[in-house]
Amino acid sequence: MFKEEVEKVFKKIIPALEWIPKYKRSDLSGDMSAGLIVAIMLIPQGMAYAMLAGLPPVIGLYASTVPLLIYALFGTSRQLAVGPVAMVSLLVLAGVSTIAVPGTDEYISLVLLLMLMVGLIQFLMGIFRLGFVVNFLSHAVISAFTSAAAIIIGLSQLKHLIGVSLEADKDVLMILLEAISRVSEINPVTFGIGLTSIVLLIVFKKFVKKIPGPLVVVILSILSIYHLQLHKVGVKIVGEVPGGLPPIYLPAFSMEAIVALLPIAITISLIGFMESIAMAKAIAAKEKYKVVPNKELIGLGLANIGGSFFAGYPVTGGFSRSAVNYQSGARTPLATIITAVLILLTLLFFTGLFYYLPNAVLAAIIMVAVFSLIDVKEAKYLFKVKKIDGWTWVITFVATLLIGIEQGILIGVGFSILVFIWRSAYPHMAELGYLQSEGVYRNIKRYPEAQVDSEVMIFRVDESLYFANMTFLEDKISERITEKPQTNWIILDFSGVNSIDAVAIHSLEELMDAFKNSDIEFLLASIKGPVRDLLKKADWNTKYSDKLDHLSIDQALRSIGK
């Protein structure tokens, strides 16, 4: 009995103990195939994304080893492909480049500290079941932020694509203006390699999906540079990539650095988790198994914590690689373990092959990868359905593009919360009439034929009531009573009220007492259990016992002889 309980606890802590003993031999071919294909895809992507983050390309490979092994043990998604992604790479650059110069030892040390911080935040969020926090990042905000960030990412790689060291690296307008002003300095060979790579990547992506385009482009460009000696005519190459297993590092701790990195660490934790859980849930729904958000946070957190001690940088689950992993036949996290092992073998024996890899090719890989993240269709859809959501998209997009990555998402979240507060402060209220043909009560504005009683007004409140929206409710009722002075009874249909706070209860009492002096009585109908419990605590059973016990509008009407 004790042994079973211990096993149960360990399985709860380490989800891998659930699938490893039950592993089916029939899943092996799919896992091996997927692991190989994702490794082939991840090697050039990892190097490219590390460059985007302002790090040496090899760190992208380091980040694709230990974190993957840890996630395979502690994550609950069977097909999620964890590793470096474009969005997180840009956030790393945006956050850390403000306090250290990209590529320097100090910068790398701060990135390792950032990875540790991201891991700890995600781990603690998982432990304390705070996965719901990401719900405050609306889809409109995420779509706009991602679209703007994709443009920033693409343009940040322009310097590698044209072979000109542009001083501007984050301001979109400054990048474009500087590139135009220095058009005479463009290295035609570098630019030609970059454009050719982009065309090939698009062709493979659209028409030859089974062959990994990035790998083909990397191989062709390395061979071209080596045989034609193009690096001697100004084509910048990756150069020596250190071989061997990921070195063990201890992130440099300092309170000043922790405080400076905290905002970007929180941003990466939330954005990374959102990207990861969205893909994990989509695949799990197709495969009919359950992904546990809080356990995913723990898995991602431990992956980042572990990676910070092995020269990595923040990782999360990627959309494109996860889709490829799933489509290539991955059945269990063993596919992720195979990917990590193959990258470890690459680090041990094959890093020398990347010496002649042009930076322009890595830039092209990034540009093509992020282009699909620009989602203008979503903005059109939001404006079509609800304009305020469309404006949330526009404000977030413009703020991210023109002000900055961190500020943009904060402005977007702030605006979306203001919209939420505004909506809740002005709840939808409907005056109801009786549709005799259907035997139901409906909004008299939508159904003008609905019957109303000259002495009775029925209101349905479609929102939870709290201190901020009671004034609106009072004003609305007072306005209608002024228009219909013969009213003797007001029935409040509470079927849409899910909760009510103490201030709202007190305000409602005052409203009911005030109108009683004008010979207008209130009755409440269809009160939900949780709301009724709170009203009982406020002694309404004693004060207004005859006004609460109405399970429906009809019952309330019968109680007054209607």
Side-chain angles (χ1 to χ4, degrees), residues 406-426:
E406 296 170 74
Q407 298 88 338
I409 195 164
L410 286 174
I411 289 169
V413 170
F415 184 76
S416 64
I417 290 173
L418 282 176
V419 169
F420 171 76
I421 293 170
W422 180 83
R423 284 173 179 165
S424 65
Y426 297 93

Side-chain angles (χ1 to χ4, degrees), residues 152-280:
I152 296 170
I153 290 169
L155 290 177
S156 73
Q157 297 305 298
L158 194 59
K159 59 186 177 185
H160 298 298
L161 196 74
I162 62 178
V164 178
S165 297
L166 302 175
E167 292 181 16
D169 59 350
K170 294 174 195 167
D171 190 311
V172 170
L173 294 177
M174 291 301 293
I175 292 171
L176 288 173
L177 289 172
E178 188 181 350
I180 293 167
S181 67
R182 297 177 66 182
V183 69
S184 59
E185 299 176 38
I186 291 175
N187 184 311
V189 181
T190 300
F191 191 43
I193 290 170
L195 279 182
T196 304
S197 299
I198 288 173
V199 171
L200 284 173
L201 287 165
I202 292 171
V203 168
F204 275 96
K205 192 174 184 178
K206 286 191 173 182
F207 306 109
V208 198
K209 294 180 181 179
K210 290 186 178 180
I211 299 175
L215 183 68
V216 174
V217 170
V218 164
I219 292 170
L220 290 176
S221 64
I222 289 173
L223 291 173
S224 300
I225 300 293
Y226 176 72
H227 287 293
L228 301 176
Q229 295 291 290
L230 297 178
H231 59 293
K232 293 181 179 178
V233 293
V235 176
K236 290 183 180 177
I237 57 175
V238 168
E240 187 178 348
V241 178
L245 297 173
I248 297 173
Y249 271 91
L250 188 66
F253 294 92
S254 82
M255 190 52 66
E256 187 182 347
I258 289 170
V259 170
L261 292 172
L262 189 59
I264 198 67
I266 293 170
T267 304
I268 291 173
S269 299
L270 296 178
I271 296 292
F273 175 60
M274 274 205 73
E275 184 172 345
S276 183
I277 197 66
M279 194 63 195

Side-chain angles (χ1 to χ4, degrees), residues 107-127:
Y107 183 87
I108 294 169
S109 179
L110 287 169
V111 169
L112 293 175
L113 176 60
L114 176 62
M115 188 180 194
L116 177 62
M117 290 171 67
V118 168
L120 287 171
I121 290 168
Q122 289 179 330
F123 178 76
L124 291 173
M125 282 178 69
I127 291 293

